[in-house]
Amino acid sequence: QAAADPASSSDAPEDGPKETSSVSHNISDADAFKILLEMKMKKRQKKPNLPSTVTELVAEDGSKVYVVGTAHFSDSSKKDVVKTIQEVQPDVVVVELCQYRVSMLKMDEKTLLKEAKEINLEKLQQAIKQNGVMSGLMQMLLLKVSAHITEQLGMAPGGEFREAFKEASKVPFCKFHLGDRPIPVTFKRAIAALSFWQKVKLAWGLCFLSDPISKDDVEKCKQKDLLEQMMAEMIGEFPDLHRTIVSERDIYLTYMLKQAAKQIELPRASETETRKYIPAVVVGVVGMGHVPGIEKNWNSDLNIQEIMSVPPQSASSKIFKFVTKATVFGLMGYGCYRIGQRTLQFILSMPAAQSYLQKLTEIRSPH
């Protein structure tokens, strides 16, 4: 309090700080927790003034979850996230990320912008090593969609998640959870859901995506996330793919939000004191396209075991995998052949090489 109120600290006697220090050492952890919790509760708005993109859900035990629906490439979405966290002072913040994408939380905008625009061989190798050939290629194609939006808008993805991470660190006792299903599981299930020709058609559509996108387009898509809307347009004829990429993740995100919305146990002065609990306050930051699914699944008993399993490869997947490998190795082999041919021609055209060949011819020819 003295640090927060300069006027009161300037009127304090000279030995004031020493006395305060000695008292603070006698405060138990439980008392310190209660003091900070009371400060947090005072700052928490009873009737928060929330953006229109926020949906309020209530758990059976009274815990509240504020789901912020965002567009992944939107400045206003970042502001919505910051305002919501400041207003409700949550106990937990859950974001639509998994451990495979958590690195974007601590990277600066400039680095992220550069990374998002660059789709290179190293990234392809890493994706294939991490997820397998088919899932890795699918991931790279989706990254191409994201890179296309990034190139058009000049804005790095995931800004709302980075804002959530920064704001959560400012709230006392606020935990930060990753709420999305791991990428390898999603892509492997997506690949298994498609037939051979569906995979070819989807890959073709993603490879030749080039429609221009404006910032106005992004804001118009606040009711449905831009990236997911573009994907929905491409995968609309593939209901099984929509199920694995969107609907199943709705279930997973809902499950993680419900797990985060558990009552909080208050600290006890001693082991004999009765345990006391209070409802939790949770903020979820997800793409706008997931909000209807989360609302739909909120009051259901959810089991995520089934949507976490990876089905065995189908015959069409094996054929597509073989064709893809054959194509990649064929292109690499042809490229090496062309490079080698041009290199040889270049070397032979050099004066030094021609002089050496002439001498070699003279040595080998009979006198």
Side-chain angles (χ1 to χ4, degrees), residues 153-165:
L153 301 181
M155 183 186 299
E160 72 275 32
F161 302 138
R162 288 188 292 283
E163 290 298 325
F165 183 67

Side-chain angles (χ1 to χ4, degrees), residues 191-253:
I191 289 296
L194 296 176
S195 68
F196 173 77
W197 291 114
Q198 285 176 328
K199 290 169 188 171
V200 173
K201 193 171 183 178
L202 178 64
W204 183 267
L206 290 170
C207 284
F208 292 94
L209 178 74
S210 59
D211 294 336
I213 302 160
S214 68
K215 290 190 176 182
D216 289 337
D217 292 331
V218 179
E219 295 309 319
K220 287 176 184 176
C221 289
K222 283 295 287 291
Q223 298 307 310
K224 192 171 186 182
D225 177 58
L226 177 63
L227 181 58
E228 288 175 7
Q229 179 163 312
M230 292 179 69
M231 285 302 302
E233 290 173 357
M234 285 184 287
I235 67 177
E237 59 188 290
F238 310 135
D240 289 334
L241 190 60
H242 184 274
R243 172 178 53 80
T244 54
I245 291 181
V246 181
S247 301
E248 288 184 358
R249 288 173 59 227
D250 289 346
I251 294 172
Y252 191 91
L253 286 164

Side-chain angles (χ1 to χ4, degrees), residues 303-346:
N303 182 1
I304 62 169
Q305 295 301 318
E306 183 181 346
I307 62 172
M308 289 299 289
S309 63
V310 179
Q313 278 191 340
S314 62
S316 62
S317 293
K318 292 177 181 178
I319 293 170
F320 190 74
K321 182 177 179 180
F322 173 78
V323 171
T324 304
K325 278 187 174 181
T327 303
V328 171
F329 285 119
L331 289 172
M332 288 176 65
Y334 179 72
C336 291
Y337 165 74
R338 294 292 296 172
I339 291 170
Q341 191 179 41
R342 289 179 182 178
T343 303
L344 182 61
Q345 289 174 351
F346 174 74

Side-chain angles (χ1 to χ4, degrees), residues 232-284:
E233 290 173 357
M234 285 184 287
I235 67 177
E237 59 188 290
F238 310 135
D240 289 334
L241 190 60
H242 184 274
R243 172 178 53 80
T244 54
I245 291 181
V246 181
S247 301
E248 288 184 358
R249 288 173 59 227
D250 289 346
I251 294 172
Y252 191 91
L253 286 164
T254 308
Y255 178 84
M256 295 303 289
L257 286 169
K258 293 180 80 168
Q259 290 299 306
K262 300 291 185 182
Q263 287 194 333
I264 299 170
E265 182 182 351
L266 294 174
R268 296 179 295 163
S270 65
E271 293 293 329
T272 57
E273 188 178 342
T274 306
R275 295 178 184 271
K276 294 180 181 178
Y277 298 86
I278 58 172
V281 173
V282 178
V283 169

Side-chain angles (χ1 to χ4, degrees), residues 13 31 119 137 143 187 200 203 236 266 316 343:
D31 289 337
I119 305 296
L137 289 172
L143 280 175
F187 284 124
V200 173
L266 294 174
S316 62
T343 303

